[in-house]
Structures are given as C-alpha cells and as structure tokens.
Amino acid sequence: MANKIYMTSGKGGSGVTTCALYLGRALAETGERTLVIDGDRLAAGGIYAAGLAGKQTYTLADCEKGACRARQAVVSVAGQPNFFVAGTLGLKDENAAAEAVEELDGIFDYIICDKICAGACDGAFIVTEPYAAAIKSADVCADTLAGEGFEEPQLIVNKLNGGQIIEGEVMTAQEIAALLHVKLAAVIPEDLMLPTGKIKNFTRKAFRTAAERIAGKGDGLCNVLKNYFGPAGYVRRKLRARI
Ligand SMILES: Nc1ncnc2c1ncn2[C@@H]1O[C@H](COP(=O)(O)OP(=O)(O)OP(=O)(O)O)[C@@H](O)[C@H]1O
Ligand SMILES: [Mg+2]
C-alpha cells in the first residue's frame, strides 16, 4: 500500500505543484517509488512544470473514458527511475481519478495528489507562504481538512527567506506551525530561480531533507537563516529588497 498524500493550500500560488513535484522527485531519489498526480484538469500545470508536456500518451481523463488502464496514464520521468507523474487534463469527475489512485496503490510507495483525490488519501499536507494572507487561508484550509477527516494535516512552509526573518518581516516556519497548530513537515526556501524552471542546490537539498523527514529517514529541516548573517548576509538581505 502506498502512502497517499493530499497536497493542498488555502491561497492559490503558494507552491503546491512545485512542492509536489520536487518533493516527489526527492522521495524517488531516496529510493521511494513515487507518483505525483497533477490535479490541474484545465491546464496540466504539473505536467508542464515536470517537463513532460508531449511525453504522455494517456491521462487519467482517458482512463475515465475507458480508453486505457490507470497505469497506462503514468509517465516515467527520464533519468529518475523511481519517479512518475500522471496528468488529469480534461478529467470530468474527480472520482475517476480517485479510482485510478486505488488501482495504482499497490505499485508505489508514495502517491502525492496535487489538489485532487482528497478522499483517496490517508494524509494531508498544507503548503503555505510565510505571509499573513497565506497563513490565514492555511488556517481555514486546516479547518476544512479536519472536516474532511484529516485529523493531523502537516505543514510545508514554502518561499521562506532567511533575510526576511532576520528583518522581522516574516515569522519562522516553527512560529507559523505553532500558530496554526499543525506539525511542521518541511521548510523550503524562497528560490527566485524556480519560476524559470531551474532550482538552486540549496533548495534541492531542502527538498531532499524534507523527503528524508517525511519518509522517516531523517529529522532535519532546512535552515533558511544560513547565509543571511555577517557582512555578506547583510548585503544579501538588502539586495533582495531592491531587486
Ligand atoms: N520556493 C519558492 N520560491 C520562489 N518561487 C516559488 C517557490 N515555490 C514556488 N514558486 C513559484 O510560485 C509560483 C506558484 O507556484 P505553483 O504553481 O507551484 O503554486 P500552486 O500552489 O500549485 O498554484 P495553483 O494554486 O495555481 O495551483 C510559480 O511561479 C513557482 O515557480
Ligand atoms: Mg498548482
């Protein structure tokens, strides 16, 4: 049986798709056979972000129509033997995706569902940015998840900038988790390369640390304050505000 994680957010654009894909990849790198279900039924955002546009023959929408089996909609990612993605572009009924998750359950260690198939999952992760509006909506999201039967959702604080913490502009991930009364699963730094499709080594390591913590192979959290002390850190803090 796979660990099935429903990944969601209160506020849009918090980084759910980014975290689902990079965390999925990192879990795969630690040896866990991992599938990410891209819940973007309108634009296949996850499939594009994973660089898989044009590389899939079927999606779970074809599975819904009876044109293929769920496993035929699973796309393997080149160079990542344990990492797989399935799209839902054009899917009409979310229940069809949930049935596909059930069908795929036995052949993966982790299935991460990007804002889809909550009912098929046994755990939930809330992704939040460290800003007030996102934290407030993460709080509402936690309540909604509790209503859906997720007793202990976990938190991923994404886009956290160490310089902003030092300047007192945002809270630490631990403070955000304490405020929301949810367990902190991962801290992912702000990485302005991510929107361009690239990733800094520091961020990649943060996802790796998160994957190890989630898979019970470690208990670390990314220290986003690193590199923001001393004269170089001061310059880095001041530069961020100006670029
Ligand atoms: N750690 C990060 N640092 C900087 N930018 C990030 C980070 N994580 C995600 N982003 C950027 O934020 C934007 C939104 O990310 P993403 O699409 O993953 O969010 P989402 O929660 O899936 O959005 P939606 O609600 O539309 O599904 C993207 O441009 C992405 O590259
Ligand atoms: Mg998304």
Side-chain angles (χ1 to χ4, degrees), residues 9 12-18 115 158-159 188-192 194-195:
S9 66
S14 296
V16 178
T17 300
T18 304
K115 287 195 177 172
N158 186 30
K159 306 191 189 182
I188 306 299
E190 180 184 56
D191 179 347
L192 299 181
L194 277 174

Side-chain angles (χ1 to χ4, degrees), residues 64-78:
E64 179 181 38
K65 289 180 207 146
C68 69
R69 301 282 308 276
R71 60 182 68 197
Q72 290 175 275
V74 171
V75 187
S76 66
V77 179

Side-chain angles (χ1 to χ4, degrees), residues 19-230:
C19 288
L21 289 172
Y22 280 105
L23 183 63
R25 187 181 290 251
L27 279 165
E29 282 167 0
T30 69
E32 306 288 342
R33 203 172 148 82
T34 304
L35 169 69
V36 173
I37 309 255
D38 171 26
D40 189 346
R41 298 194 249 171
L42 299 176
I47 292 287
Y48 276 90
L52 294 173
K55 297 210 169 114
Q56 52 175 2
T57 307
Y58 296 115
T59 73
L60 293 181
D62 297 303
C63 187
E64 179 181 38
K65 289 180 207 146
C68 69
R69 301 282 308 276
R71 60 182 68 197
Q72 290 175 275
V74 171
V75 187
S76 66
V77 179
Q80 302 281 330
N82 287 321
F83 187 42
F84 303 84
V85 180
T88 57
L89 185 68
L91 186 87
K92 301 250 174 335
D93 180 1
E94 205 175 308
N95 289 325
E99 280 168 24
V101 169
E102 270 173 40
E103 191 184 322
L104 297 166
D105 199 357
I107 55 173
F108 291 100
D109 298 310
Y110 282 86
I111 301 180
I112 301 178
C113 299
D114 175 353
K115 287 195 177 172
I116 195 162
C117 301
C121 293
D122 29 52
F125 282 27
I126 302 169
V127 179
T128 186
E129 295 168 349
Y131 307 111
I135 296 168
K136 183 71 203 154
S137 60
D139 194 25
V140 176
C141 182
D143 280 349
T144 309
L145 286 172
E148 290 172 4
F150 292 106
E151 299 291 335
E152 291 179 355
Q154 298 192 44
L155 187 69
I156 298 178
V157 178
N158 186 30
K159 306 191 189 182
L160 192 57
N161 179 289
Q164 284 188 300
I165 294 175
I166 293 168
E167 298 291 335
E169 292 164 5
V170 299
M171 286 185 277
T172 65
Q174 287 76 4
E175 285 166 343
I176 296 170
L179 193 71
L180 295 172
H181 301 290
V182 288
K183 187 176 162 201
L184 185 59
V187 179
I188 306 299
E190 180 184 56
D191 179 347
L192 299 181
M193 281 169 74
L194 277 174
T196 70
K198 298 187 185 128
I199 183 168
K200 287 184 192 159
N201 274 339
F202 186 61
T203 315
R204 196 182 290 282
K205 275 191 199 147
F207 280 112
R208 178 69 181 237
T209 302
E212 287 170 355
R213 185 176 170 95
I214 288 160
K217 296 172 181 169
D219 61 1
L221 286 167
C222 171
N223 176 14
V224 293
L225 294 174
K226 200 178 157 194
N227 302 327
Y228 283 98
F229 291 111

